[in-house]
């Protein structure tokens, strides 16, 4: 069974390729390398110990995608390819709407033309905004997006559900990720932010590695136990495994079409300060940090009710926060070694 993994050279996409291969799926990676490096493909081949099929190209390019669907019998697609920097989306909304919406629509057209039935779509807990109740379930209200990036995820979910409501013969699961962190245990692949990291964990590991002077903790005056924001940090390999389970679930559904959304989180909220302390304890590395102003657009706290993923997919997170932080640190150390 061949699975097309768009954005397969990216952080979550690459780790999902490993999980798919380890569960007997054949993968076809498509990536335009706008936010990834082709060295990831070689690293993946080292991990899975086989040559991987990789086509460099853009999911907005119908002719390119059509060629990929012609060359391979694709039974399912996992669609990761999208721009995902919240701050950048505020500065360049058109770039985000054009890329994130058009690439999905082009992909759906190709899936329909080639009669590919199974789709797993990469969405985000961002669609919930600041939930009124916690933990957040899939039935929690979708709030007005706080960024063009978040809005593209909401609109993409609607595009998929509207197409299926119009009887497009596709079975789709939308996975709403919480905060993916960590790296593969081999430290051969991991998060590769370009420039100054926006996300907490790569900023922590770069500070610990001496690349950044100190970590700024964006606000300690929130209504949380220690005043810092709370998030649901999920090991990227647990998130990867959730995609395998989602595909297996869709494969087993003998219906003409299907649509559902599933939260993929640990179900546990951790504050920024708890993460910082866990990192120091796990790695025994000094970490310089200061309390800074709140970051515009941040919500105070969100963490998942992960019951549906367990019930529907038979999936639950297995790695601890400490394991994820240790894996993230080993990955950062490997990156430093490569530079020397
Ligand atoms: C986590 C917490 C920050 C950096 C975003 C997207 C989401 C998903 C994951 C794509 C917050 C604090 C951070 C720093 C800090 N991306 N922080 N100092 O904002 O929860 O989610 O990334 O799908 O869609 O919205 O993740 O890692 O940026 O921040 O104090 O240098 O860490 O304030 O409370 P976020 P994050």
């Amino acid at each position: 069974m061949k699975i097309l993994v768009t954005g397969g050279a990216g952080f979550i996409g690459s780790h999902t390729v490993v999980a798919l291969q380890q569960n007997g799926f054949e993968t076809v990676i498509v990536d335009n390398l706008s936010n990834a490096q082709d060295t990831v493909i070689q690293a993946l081949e080292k991990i899975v110990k086989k040559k991987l099929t990789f086509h460099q190209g853009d999911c907005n390019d119908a002719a390119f995608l059509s060629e990929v669907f012609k060359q391979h019998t694709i039974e399912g697609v996992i669609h990761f390819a999208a721009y995902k920097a919240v701050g950048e989306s505020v500065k360049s909304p058109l770039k985000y709407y054009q890329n994130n919406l058009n690439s999905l629509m082009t992909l759906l057209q190709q899936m329909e033309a080639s009669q590919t039935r199974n789709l797993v779509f990469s969405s985000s807990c961002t669609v919930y905004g600041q939930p009124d109740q916690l933990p957040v379930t899939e039935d929690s209200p979708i709030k007005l997006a706080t960024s063009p990036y978040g809005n593209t995820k909401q609109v993409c979910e609607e595009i998929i559900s509207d197409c299926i409501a119009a009887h497009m013969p596709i079975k789709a699961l939308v996975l709403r990720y919480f905060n993916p962190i960590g790296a593969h245990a081999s430290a051969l692949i991991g998060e590769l932010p370009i420039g100054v990291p926006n996300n907490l964990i790569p900023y922590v590991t770069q500070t610990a590695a001496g690349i950044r002077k100190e970590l700024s903790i964006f606000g300690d005056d929130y209504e949380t136990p220690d005043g810092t924001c709370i998030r649901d940090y999920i090991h990227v390999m647990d998130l990867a495994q959730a995609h395998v389970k989602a595909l297996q679930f869709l494969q087993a559904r003998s219906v003409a079409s299907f649509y559902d959304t599933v939260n993929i989180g640990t179900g546990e909220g951790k504050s920024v300060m708890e993460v910082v302390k866990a990192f120091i304890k796990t790695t025994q590395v000094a970490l310089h940090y200061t309390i800074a102003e709140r970051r515009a657009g941040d919500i105070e706290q969100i963490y998942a009710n992960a019951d549906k993923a367990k019930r529907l997919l038979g999936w639950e997170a297995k790695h601890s926060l400490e394991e994820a932080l240790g894996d993230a640190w080993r990955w950062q150390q490997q990156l430093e070694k490569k530079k020397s």
Side-chain angles (χ1 to χ4, degrees), residues 43-86:
L44 283 172
E45 289 175 339
K46 252 197 211 150
I47 294 171
V48 302
K49 298 183 178 57
K50 66 190 282 195
K51 190 95 183 78
L52 291 172
T53 306
F54 168 54
H55 296 282
Q56 182 174 348
D58 195 316
C59 291
N60 289 288
D61 178 347
F64 162 73
L65 265 191
S66 161
E67 192 46 41
V68 172
F69 276 87
K70 273 201 198 92
Q71 280 185 36
H72 308 281
T73 307
I74 304 289
E75 313 253 334
V77 181
I78 305 181
H79 186 44
F80 291 106
Y83 294 144
K84 61 152 196 142
V86 173

Side-chain angles (χ1 to χ4, degrees), residues 93-295:
L94 212 48
K95 174 182 171 187
Y96 272 67
Y97 286 114
Q98 168 67 41
N99 183 60
N100 291 5
L101 303 188
N102 191 50
S103 59
L104 172 66
M105 292 187 283
T106 306
L107 175 67
L108 287 169
Q109 284 158 345
Q110 290 303 327
M111 285 183 71
E112 190 171 34
S114 62
Q115 294 171 338
T116 301
R117 305 291 314 286
N118 303 300
L119 170 65
V120 178
F121 177 70
S122 161
S123 189
S124 167
C125 63
T126 305
V127 302
Y128 297 116
Q130 175 58 68
D132 302 324
Q133 281 175 326
L134 288 168
V136 67
T137 73
E138 291 81 356
D139 301 324
S140 298
I142 301 299
K143 293 278 184 74
L144 198 60
T146 53
S147 71
Y149 161 75
N151 200 27
T152 65
K153 288 301 178 186
Q154 289 180 3
V155 173
C156 282
E157 289 190 8
E158 287 160 14
I159 290 171
I160 297 167
S161 62
D162 287 350
C163 286
I164 289 167
H167 308 299
M168 183 185 266
I170 283 182
K171 299 178 281 177
L173 273 176
V174 167
L175 303 187
R176 290 174 179 162
Y177 309 158
F178 284 70
N179 287 56
I181 64 167
H184 188 262
S186 66
L188 289 171
I189 53 174
E191 201 165 356
L192 263 178
I194 296 173
V196 180
N198 294 304
N199 293 136
L200 176 63
I201 303 309
Y203 207 104
V204 163
T205 58
Q206 289 191 11
T207 304
I211 299 167
R212 307 290 162 200
K213 188 163 131 319
E214 65 185 4
L215 170 73
S216 299
I217 295 179
F218 297 139
D220 69 345
D221 57 351
Y222 287 95
E223 295 294 312
T224 60
D226 64 20
T228 63
C229 292
I230 291 172
R231 295 289 185 275
D232 184 330
Y233 296 96
I234 175 169
H235 195 295
V236 65
M237 284 314 293
D238 281 332
L239 180 56
Q241 188 59 21
H243 291 79
V244 173
K245 290 286 193 181
L247 272 175
Q248 289 167 340
F249 171 88
L250 290 173
Q251 263 183 315
R253 304 289 292 187
S254 51
V255 288
S257 62
F258 178 88
Y259 177 85
D260 210 346
T261 59
V262 187
N263 285 343
I264 303 296
T266 66
E268 254 194 281
K270 293 283 182 193
S271 75
V272 176
M273 192 54 87
E274 284 176 308
V275 169
V276 166
K277 288 185 177 150
F279 180 84
I280 294 168
K281 185 161 170 270
T282 304
T283 61
Q284 295 296 298
V285 170
L287 183 68
H288 301 292
Y289 61 86
T290 56
I291 303 297
E293 287 302 302
R294 292 183 174 194
R295 180 173 68 176

